[in-house]
Amino acid sequence: MAAAHPPAAQPAKPVLDPASIHVIVATDCGSTTTKAILIELVDGHYRQTQRGEAPTTVEAPFADVTLGVTNAVTELQELSGRRLIADDGTVIRRSSTTDRDGCDVYISTSSAGGGLQMMVAGVVRQMTAESAKRAALGAGAIVMETIASNDQRKPHEQIQRIRELRPDMVLLSGGTDGGDQKKVVELAELIAPAKPRPRFGGEYRLPVIFAGNKDAAPAVERVFGSGFDLSVVPNIRPTLEEENLGPARDRIHDVFLEHVMAHAPGYDTLIAWADAPIMPTPGAVGDILRTIARKRGINALGVDIGGATTDVFSVFDGAFNRTVSANLGMSYSISNVCAEATMPRILRWVHLPMDERELRNRVKNKMIRPTTIPQTLEALVFEQAVAREALRLSFDQHKAFATSLKGVQQQRTVGDAFTQQAGGGTLVDAMKLDLLVASGGVLSHAPRMEQTALMLIDSFEPEGFTELAKDSIFMMPHLGVLASVHPDAAMEVFEKDCLVHLGTCVAPRGQGKAGKPCFAWELRGARSARGTMNVGDMELVPLAYDEACEMTVTPEKGFDMGAGPGRAVTRTVRGGTVGLVLDARGRAIEVPADEAARRATVARWLQALRVYE
Amino acid sequence: MAKAFTPGLTVTARASYRARRILPIAGEVTVKAGDRVEAGTVVAQTFMDGDVFPMKVASALGAQPKDLPGLMLKQVGDAVRKDEPIARSKGIFGMMRTEARSTADGVIESVGESTGMVMVRGPKVPIEVRAYVAGTVVEVLPGEGAVVEAAAALVQGIFGIGGEVHGPVAMACAGPDEELDADDVTPAMRGCVVVGGARMTAAAIARAREVGAAAVVSGGIDDQDLRDFLGHDIGVAVTGSERMGITLIVTEGFGSIAMAARTFALLASHAGRTASVNGATQIRAGVMRPEIVVPLEAGGVAGEGAVVAGGATAGVLEVGTPVRVIRDPHFGVLGTVAALPEQPAVLGSGSKARVLEVAVAGGERITVPRANVELIEG
């Protein structure tokens, strides 16, 4: 289907031959920091060899993102001894693989300037509007608002809401091909007169992507007229049973480059520098996670907790989902985490006595001075307790969203949609989760790896056997965009340099009385050990990543390791910098109601894992 | 010498303050370069598109949407009044005709042939931008607004709520470490920018609103008191649009904390002068801090001093720089940088971070992470 307004031509990029790519420079232009990494082919293996960073320069007084890129890559140059920046500030390319200077490929992601912000609309909230939201989130956008014909709001309320927004673009869907046209045109007739103003550039026309009933496209074009930059892509929901997110997602990426990025200072130059399209940072993270899950044949979940937002990505049985919890974060949004989680829920993770009124003031002081760091152990313990709740809330939102839709170009039945309407059918199954990857300051920069591991376990409550890892230097965005150019290199660096393997969590599902037997375990191979765990206990078994062992876990009746209650399971397990975490607290994790008993219990868990030693 | 950059808040006796006063959409600028303006002077105005009122006219007439254009009594672009007939059905042999009436004053924006809906655009909404600060128009931005400049004392707060107000500075406390309580606020402070010392109590805020004060400025506020005052918790620090009838600014932070002596002294030296105050705070990309601006003289001729456009500034940390510690366990402590060790140190939390030593009153030295101090600029 032709676009109503064909996209502006992007500079043609040469086709890259993976065999000739030996030196890669990748940058991620974040809101505050531009991070650069150097990847080189060393002894036949792709390795991340250097990293550099510099402040992002998209805001005044610099107002040119490439300055930050040049500065970050210059740091790579200084560290590596390889000349990467030319006198004019551009990234040098090699003409042959024997050249000592330059790189073979330069790629980048970006979330500067607040990333990609979208409004989506669909006829039925649980169907086309949800598909539109999924396409937008999958492309790396922040969805500011979802408008649906059946969202219970009156038209004037919807119009008022649209008028308040300043989106980068709008995705409109609705109707199956050949089906009803009226409702989707009605939506267009709501959006057009509301005239949502674009966030950047008061003069430019707001991009609208129409991905609905193809027969309604001419009417939608008439409604939007010349006041908008409308493009028409294949229907996101061509039939009730089929969801087709790919074309809409690709168009979102194109519009992101053509409009949003093009209006950000210096991005036209950056686009020209890069050898692959610049991707929104979360979109790239999602791509690498999908690549990993597909190549290893596993279910994986990634989380990136920032100061303002928390992103959760999951791949279960091949279905990819991403959610952004817009106001759950550790600095700008820390006060909102406390408000949503409530202070008692946060303090349940704390073993030290703390004054709630004083804590509330501290939370607000962190919100207004977001760059401060905990100096005392007490401050760290509290901050990590807040992180557990921010992660838990984000994960709850993710589970509610990642329902039975099967992702890109997958089939689903009408029955699924109605199940979903009833609020069930999450795809996220803690028992099926194989790999849990953490990133974001509070997880990545925790003074001890044990702290990262326990924060992950307490918030996500993995069941069965689950590998825990953290993104060493938040390299996943770079590798996501690299996967589009050289998937094998991306995969190799991900495994060898990106991930810090923390270990494996071994935790049966179920609940029992504290102190009663929970499971027996035996380790064979690189290490031999055996033991039993009582309900409510935690234990740490040292085991390195390269010490793969066979482990048999025999749960008691009422506890399940994945094969059914009371049935033994044998698996190959790997350790890591933390080791094997044996968790017999049951699911869901509960703490005693009595304050003294609660603090003693939490202290025992922390001690068992040597969390604050 | 080791240097580090850290954001700080400006507290200065004299700065060339520039306020860029811009309309949200294009309009008419009502001042010209060189004009002397007061805080309340309108510098630009425009009209925004009115609200849209959707009306299900086809269904009201019992007609098919495609037939609607032929039934309209008013066409796109026509002005209509509320209750005025805008469409009429054909009826049966011209009898029993039904009329659809406009539910709002405005202009017909569109007639939906697919949906059968008629959109009426309400009257345009006037928007005015005022000077905010008494001073001189130094630049006109055609169609957008103007830049007003004034030589002014400037105090940036750390957090505020409420929008732009102005009024005379009224000192309500005798010193910077004195709590602002209800007894300190008098009826004579109506329309004033009330300046306290340390924490502003909930009773003081209630009293200030009761007497009609324009704003309250003090060192700190208890989170619980703010929550009780607003009726909700502030989750994300994006403020300024609250409609509480008063603007509140804290200069130091949350809790019982004294206003920096220098800030207090500066505000006290301007007691009685008109201050422009804005509580709007935004702590994300494009940081915006609340501010108290006191123009120094009529005519607003810029004197010597840094040109400040508001917002956080960045400065250099070096030995001798005055700083404030902005995180527990030394939150609020003022001092000067005594040393900037190059090597990271292990903190009590177990984290490794670059630190600095601060010399505080009494000669004591404390070690804090560099991330946990801010410059006191001026």
Side-chain angles (χ1 to χ4, degrees):
Chain A
M1 192 175 291
H5 296 280
Q10 287 291 300
K13 304 289 184 193
V15 178
L16 299 165
D17 172 18
S20 64
I21 299 174
H22 295 180
V23 181
I24 301 154
V25 171
T27 55
D28 172 46
C29 307
S31 291
T32 52
T33 309
T34 297
K35 287 149 282 206
I37 59 170
L38 181 66
I39 293 169
E40 294 173 275
L41 190 64
V42 180
D43 300 330
H45 298 283
Y46 286 96
R47 301 300 300 260
Q48 181 259 324
T49 51
Q50 304 293 346
R51 62 179 286 226
E53 63 180 46
T56 295
T57 49
V58 76
E59 309 261 355
F62 309 104
D64 182 353
V65 73
T66 58
L67 296 175
V69 169
T70 301
N71 292 341
V73 177
T74 301
E75 204 169 311
L76 291 183
Q77 171 175 283
E78 287 165 1
L79 292 167
S80 65
R82 173 186 286 276
R83 190 159 175 260
L84 294 167
I85 294 291
D87 293 340
D88 62 359
T90 57
V91 180
I92 301 171
R93 298 303 193 290
R94 301 198 296 182
S95 50
S96 103
T97 52
T98 55
D99 284 0
R100 271 196 47 78
D101 291 336
C103 64
D104 301 317
V105 169
Y106 168 65
I107 48 181
S108 189
T109 58
S110 173
S111 58
L116 167 61
Q117 302 189 8
M118 290 182 65
M119 184 190 102
V120 302
V123 171
V124 181
R125 187 166 60 88
Q126 300 87 342
M127 298 181 84
T128 45
E130 188 188 275
S131 295
K133 188 175 179 184
R134 195 178 305 276
L137 284 166
I142 292 167
V143 176
M144 310 165 82
E145 181 65 75
T146 305
I147 301 280
S149 303
N150 68 336
D151 66 14
Q152 310 292 320
R153 286 178 287 191
K154 294 195 170 71
H156 72 270
E157 291 171 331
Q158 292 174 319
I159 289 174
Q160 194 52 40
R161 180 69 188 126
I162 297 166
R163 291 187 65 176
E164 290 164 7
L165 299 173
R166 300 286 298 271
D168 292 321
M169 70 181 89
V170 173
L171 174 62
L172 171 63
S173 63
T176 53
D177 286 344
D180 176 66
Q181 297 180 33
K182 185 181 157 195
K183 287 286 182 192
V184 71
V185 176
E186 202 172 291
L187 272 175
E189 287 185 352
L190 280 178
I191 296 167
K195 295 181 183 164
R197 286 180 298 143
R199 193 158 57 106
F200 293 123
E203 299 307 314
Y204 98 106
R205 295 177 304 163
L206 182 73
V208 175
I209 300 168
F210 176 64
N213 181 353
K214 65 181 178 186
D215 301 331
V220 168
E221 279 177 32
R222 268 199 307 278
V223 171
F224 282 109
S226 58
F228 295 82
D229 194 337
L230 178 73
S231 44
V232 179
V233 298
N235 195 347
I236 221 165
R237 204 65 182 270
T239 65
L240 276 180
E241 299 78 18
E242 190 186 351
E243 185 178 64
N244 179 22
L245 304 180
R249 229 181 58 172
D250 291 347
R251 185 69 193 127
I252 292 169
H253 277 156
D254 291 346
V255 175
F256 174 69
L257 284 173
E258 291 160 16
H259 290 270
V260 186
M261 288 289 95
H263 282 86
Y267 272 93
D268 47 349
T269 310
L270 189 69
I271 289 168
W273 282 5
D275 294 306
I278 292 166
M279 291 174 75
T281 302
V285 174
D287 278 7
I288 188 69
L289 200 71
R290 273 189 294 182
T291 305
I292 300 311
R294 190 179 63 246
K295 292 221 168 195
R296 281 180 57 182
I298 59 171
N299 295 319
L301 195 140
V303 61
D304 177 26
I305 180 166
T309 62
T310 297
D311 280 28
V312 179
F313 309 81
S314 71
V315 187
F316 277 89
D317 298 328
F320 170 69
N321 276 286
R322 168 186 172 238
T323 48
V324 183
S325 298
N327 288 320
L328 296 174
M330 289 306 296
S331 57
Y332 304 105
S333 309
I334 188 170
S335 176
N336 194 56
V337 175
C338 296
E340 281 201 28
T342 73
M343 207 51 101
R345 297 276 298 179
I346 291 168
L347 292 177
R348 71 188 160 132
W349 302 112
V350 170
H351 63 299
L352 305 171
M354 292 189 184
D355 174 57
E356 193 174 324
R357 194 175 177 96
E358 177 58 27
L359 286 178
R360 287 186 186 281
N361 284 334
R362 283 191 195 174
V363 164
K364 284 291 190 297
N365 282 325
K366 170 81 177 183
M367 175 184 79
I368 59 178
R369 291 180 166 107
T371 55
T372 61
I373 59 173
Q375 183 172 0
T376 62
L377 181 64
E378 185 203 20
L380 182 78
V381 167
F382 178 68
E383 206 155 298
Q384 294 188 344
V386 176
R388 283 170 169 84
E389 288 304 303
L391 293 168
R392 181 184 63 80
L393 290 168
S394 305
F395 189 41
D396 282 350
Q397 290 180 9
H398 186 81
K399 283 188 283 192
F401 181 75
T403 48
S404 42
L405 278 176
K406 299 294 187 289
V408 181
Q409 293 176 342
Q410 297 283 320
Q411 299 286 321
R412 68 183 296 221
T413 66
V414 184
D416 287 340
F418 289 119
T419 311
Q420 183 184 320
Q421 217 167 352
T426 182
L427 297 174
V428 177
D429 182 347
M431 185 63 82
K432 286 185 180 172
L433 178 62
D434 299 300
L435 174 65
L436 176 52
V437 184
S439 67
V442 70
L443 292 168
S444 299
H445 299 148
R448 292 175 62 80
M449 302 281 188
E450 290 81 359
Q451 293 165 5
T452 307
L454 192 58
M455 278 189 272
L456 286 176
I457 295 168
D458 288 346
S459 349
F460 291 91
E461 300 193 348
E463 298 169 355
F465 298 90
T466 313
E467 268 184 58
L468 308 175
K470 73 169 186 175
D471 182 352
S472 55
I473 53 168
F474 197 46
M475 214 192 295
M476 281 163 67
H478 308 82
L479 299 183
V481 68
L482 177 58
S484 70
V485 177
H486 197 324
D488 291 337
M491 185 73 191
E492 190 161 12
V493 175
F494 182 83
E495 290 287 350
K496 292 195 167 119
D497 299 310
C498 174
L499 289 191
V500 174
H501 298 276
L502 302 174
T504 298
C505 175
V506 179
R509 175 191 288 170
Q511 286 195 319
K513 202 171 171 191
K516 297 285 182 193
C518 182
F519 65 88
W521 58 275
E522 185 179 1
L523 213 53
R524 297 172 301 277
R527 283 186 183 232
S528 295
R530 61 169 60 198
T532 56
M533 296 288 291
N534 291 332
V535 176
D537 285 352
M538 295 198 83
E539 192 177 327
L540 186 62
V541 179
L543 188 69
Y545 181 67
D546 52 10
E547 295 179 315
C549 286
E550 287 290 298
M551 185 175 196
T552 300
V553 176
T554 311
E556 293 291 322
K557 249 189 326 191
F559 286 93
D560 184 0
M561 280 297 291
R567 300 181 71 128
V569 177
T570 300
R571 279 269 295 262
T572 301
V573 292
R574 286 185 176 280
T577 49
V578 173
L580 279 183
V581 179
L582 308 182
D583 182 357
R585 295 177 295 177
R587 296 291 184 264
I589 299 169
E590 286 181 359
V591 295
D594 174 72
E595 177 60 10
R598 182 195 63 75
R599 280 191 8 218
T601 302
V602 174
R604 196 159 49 81
W605 294 341
L606 297 173
Q607 204 172 13
L609 261 64
R610 298 193 278 278
V611 171
Y612 293 115
E613 249 182 15
Chain B
M1 183 181 291
K3 289 183 177 178
F5 291 89
T6 189
L9 299 172
T10 300
V11 176
T12 182
R14 190 180 182 90
S16 176
Y17 181 89
R18 284 188 174 193
R20 200 176 157 85
R21 312 297 292 166
I22 302 287
L23 288 163
I25 53 174
E28 179 200 359
V29 181
T30 55
V31 291
K32 57 185 189 304
D35 280 1
R36 163 79 195 156
V37 290
E38 297 303 320
T41 307
V42 174
V43 297
Q45 60 190 20
T46 189
F47 292 92
M48 233 174 89
D49 283 342
D51 289 340
V52 176
F53 300 92
M55 300 166 197
K56 294 185 175 176
V57 174
S59 62
L61 300 179
Q64 293 294 315
K66 65 179 171 42
D67 297 331
L68 184 59
L71 304 176
M72 293 297 295
L73 301 173
K74 300 280 184 178
Q75 304 306 319
V76 171
D78 286 354
V80 294
R81 306 288 301 177
K82 189 179 178 197
D83 294 328
E84 189 179 350
I86 54 172
R88 186 179 296 142
S89 70
K90 287 182 176 164
I92 304 165
F93 303 116
M95 307 290 285
M96 301 176 72
R97 298 172 76 170
T98 312
E99 281 185 349
R101 294 166 186 273
S102 175
T103 58
D105 291 347
V107 173
I108 304 276
E109 172 105 354
S110 65
V111 177
E113 293 179 41
S114 300
T115 61
M117 288 175 78
V118 171
M119 301 281 180
V120 170
R121 172 81 63 183
K124 286 181 179 290
V125 181
I127 296 178
E128 291 177 342
V129 171
R130 294 171 192 273
Y132 171 53
V133 172
T136 304
V137 175
V138 292
E139 188 183 354
V140 166
L141 307 160
E144 290 185 273
V147 178
V148 177
E149 186 177 290
L154 174 66
V155 172
Q156 285 183 324
I158 186 72
F159 180 78
I161 60 158
E164 296 174 351
V165 291
H166 57 272
V169 174
M171 302 304 289
C173 290
D177 47 7
E178 194 176 295
E179 278 199 349
L180 178 67
D181 217 334
D183 296 345
D184 303 319
V185 183
T186 66
M189 292 174 180
R190 180 180 179 77
C192 289
V193 174
V194 178
V195 179
R199 181 174 75 100
M200 57 175 88
T201 65
I205 299 167
R207 178 80 175 134
R209 188 159 64 163
E210 189 185 309
V211 303
V216 177
V217 180
S218 211
I221 189 170
D222 216 56
D223 176 46
Q224 186 69 47
D225 293 342
L226 179 64
R227 204 155 37 131
D228 292 345
F229 177 68
L230 290 172
H232 63 88
D233 200 358
I234 287 195
V236 182
V238 179
T239 68
S241 59
E242 297 77 15
R243 299 277 175 268
M244 303 304 295
I246 195 163
T247 291
L248 306 180
I249 293 179
V250 293
T251 57
E252 317 301 315
F254 286 85
S256 291
I257 178 166
M259 186 183 288
R262 198 161 143 260
T263 308
F264 186 84
L266 180 59
L267 292 172
S269 72
H270 291 294
R273 280 182 176 273
T274 297
S276 297
V277 174
N278 187 0
T281 308
Q282 184 178 312
I283 309 171
R284 281 211 174 161
V287 173
M288 187 193 294
R289 294 289 186 186
E291 62 185 13
I292 303 115
V293 187
V294 191
L296 295 177
E297 63 226 35
V301 178
E304 287 182 12
V307 173
V308 178
T313 52
V316 178
L317 268 185
E318 49 197 7
V319 171
T321 306
V323 291
R324 150 171 45 204
V325 183
I326 54 175
R327 178 126 191 188
D328 54 286
H330 304 293
F331 180 71
V333 169
L334 300 167
T336 53
V337 176
L340 287 155
E342 280 289 342
Q343 292 305 314
V346 178
L347 308 175
S349 63
S351 299
K352 247 185 173 181
R354 296 189 76 189
V355 297
L356 52 71
E357 290 177 24
V358 180
V360 299
E364 191 196 347
R365 277 191 176 203
I366 55 173
T367 302
V368 291
R370 292 190 186 190
N372 292 1
V373 297
E374 69 185 10
L375 285 162
I376 303 171
E377 294 190 21

